[in-house]
């Protein structure tokens, strides 16, 4: 894996209203031709810790955790994607993976010791890998023909949900990680993607356009009954994630990063980010993270940022990534 220069993130505390516009959500990511970078060893790089009042008040489980995210540079065949992890105060940035191509939708295991993600090199379909934090290894776990995306670990770390077009339509599959055996969970003619386990392992949420093609909604699948029920959000909704206590749902609400209180169906719209990205919850469920980009910049440039938002205090701060690329798919783990 080739190395790139790591620029130090900077933190700016502020109250953020809406920023820019989110582009139209695409349920399936179009495959693009890319060239693979030469492989090689790469050491992790750290940054100076930031003195941030908002992080000082965070629960330890959030403050000592890591946010994994993707930085994108260039376009088309020149696209370079880099996967990092960073503490929520902007410190301790470490490079996890990089390629000339695309990295999609990282997801932490419940204990924060594994990170699953998809990556797509030149003239290849997206494959799912698992990064082991302790050993630093990257293991290929899903290599079926088609688009293999949106992995999600079961609470015990023994199984993996993901979506794949291996059967033609985009459907959701569950894999036993100890032996690779796989079960197809959805079989509709519509598009079923973006699965995410509930913390008790008895259900998962996902995105489907089965009511109206191209108009996604969020559903909850129950393993015991093999049935799915609509979670009403009032319209276009995608990319769901449940909090550990099952009280909040983070998602993409039309063009906004949003969080819903499940008991009351109250939706908190955090921002129009200028990207096709949802909010993601911290391990405690008290904070959310989402990426932004400057709204006046073209597709090839711009300073990307991570926004950390307190759901109880309604305050936010940004971690600015000054490498000139887009910041995508942040996810917060222990």
């Amino acid at each position: 894996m080739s190395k790139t220069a790591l620029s130090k993130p900077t933190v700016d505390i502020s109250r953020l209203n809406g920023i820019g516009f989110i582009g139209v959500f695409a349920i399936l990511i179009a495959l693009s031709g890319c060239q693979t970078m030469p492989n090689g060893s790469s050491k992790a790089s750290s940054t100076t810790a930031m003195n941030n009042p908002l992080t000082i008040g965070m629960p330890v489980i959030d403050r000592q955790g890591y946010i994994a995210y993707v930085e994108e540079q260039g376009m088309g065949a020149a696209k370079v994607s880099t996967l990092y992890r960073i503490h929520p105060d902007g410190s301790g940035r470490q490079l996890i993976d990089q390629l000339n191509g695309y990295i999609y939708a990282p997801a932490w295991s419940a204990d924060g010791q594994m990170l699953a993600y998809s990556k797509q090199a030149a003239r290849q379909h997206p494959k799912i890998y698992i990064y082991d934090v302790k050993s630093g290894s990257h293991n290929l776990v899903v290599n079926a023909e088609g688009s293999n995306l949106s992995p999600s670990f079961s609470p015990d770390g023994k199984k993996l949900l993901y979506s794949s077009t291996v059967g033609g339509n985009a459907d959701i599959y569950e894999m036993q990680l100890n032996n690779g055996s796989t079960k197809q969970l959805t079989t509709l003619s519509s598009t079923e993607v973006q699965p995410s386990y509930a913390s008790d392992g008895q259900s998962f949420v996902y995105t489907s356009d089965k009511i109206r093609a191209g108009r996604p909604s969020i559903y909850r699948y129950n393993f015991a009954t093999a049935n799915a029920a609509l979670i009403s959000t009032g319209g276009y909704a995608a990319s769901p994630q449940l909090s550990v206590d099952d009280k909040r749902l983070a998602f993409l609400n039309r063009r906004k990063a949003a969080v819903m209180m499940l008991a009351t169906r109250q939706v908190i719209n955090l921002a129009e980010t200028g990207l096709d990205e949802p909010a993601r919850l911290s391990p405690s469920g008290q904070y959310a993270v989402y990426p932004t980009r400057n709204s006046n910049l073209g597709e090839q440039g711009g300073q990307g940022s991570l926004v950390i938002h307190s759901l109880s205090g309604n305050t936010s701060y940004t971690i600015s990534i000054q490498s000139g690329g887009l910041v995508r798919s942040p996810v917060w783990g222990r």
Side-chain angles (χ1 to χ4, degrees), residues 106-301:
W108 289 106
S109 59
D111 61 4
Q113 294 303 300
M114 295 184 291
L115 185 71
Y117 59 99
S118 297
K119 63 179 183 179
Q120 180 192 357
R123 296 175 294 279
Q124 296 183 21
H125 55 270
K127 306 171 185 178
I128 296 176
Y129 290 77
I130 292 178
Y131 169 71
D132 185 282
V133 172
K134 186 174 182 179
S135 68
S137 63
H138 302 78
N139 301 308
L140 176 62
V141 293
V142 181
N143 189 23
E145 289 296 327
S147 296
N148 306 296
L149 300 164
S150 302
S152 173
F153 285 101
S154 62
D156 60 9
K158 295 181 179 180
K159 294 176 285 187
L160 196 74
L161 287 174
Y162 63 96
S163 66
S164 179
T165 59
V166 63
N169 290 323
D171 281 301
I172 294 170
Y173 296 79
E174 185 178 54
M175 172 181 283
Q176 300 284 341
L177 290 174
N178 63 341
N179 59 19
S181 64
T182 301
K183 179 181 180 181
Q184 184 174 347
L185 300 180
T186 62
T187 57
L188 300 174
S189 59
S190 50
T191 299
E192 278 66 50
V193 292
Q194 300 172 333
S196 182
Y197 277 103
S199 61
D200 62 4
Q202 302 303 305
S203 64
F204 66 89
V205 289
Y206 68 99
T207 303
S208 173
D209 67 349
K210 66 181 180 181
I211 293 179
R212 180 181 173 187
R215 297 291 296 178
S217 298
I218 294 172
Y219 293 81
R220 187 166 191 156
Y221 179 100
N222 186 290
F223 283 105
T225 64
N227 291 324
L230 175 68
I231 298 178
S232 178
T233 61
Y236 189 107
S239 197
Q241 179 209 27
L242 293 165
S243 61
V244 173
D245 62 9
D246 208 38
K247 293 181 178 180
R248 294 183 172 98
L249 178 78
F251 67 109
L252 180 68
N253 183 27
R254 295 181 176 88
R255 309 173 81 175
K256 298 176 181 178
V259 176
M260 172 189 280
M261 302 300 297
L262 289 173
T264 63
R265 292 296 193 264
Q266 177 191 6
V267 175
I268 303 169
N269 288 314
L270 302 178
E272 292 182 345
T273 68
L275 293 164
D276 230 359
E277 299 280 351
R280 283 293 177 255
L281 296 165
S282 68
S284 75
Q286 298 179 35
Y287 295 83
V289 60
Y290 56 88
T292 66
R293 63 174 295 178
N294 294 343
S295 60
N296 61 339
L297 298 168
E299 292 185 2
Q300 298 187 58

Side-chain angles (χ1 to χ4, degrees), residues 54-66 87-89 283 332:
L54 195 55
T55 58
I56 290 172
M58 281 181 180
V60 173
I61 194 174
D62 293 343
R63 187 174 67 250
Q64 294 184 354
Y66 278 97
H87 283 303
D89 66 354
W332 201 329

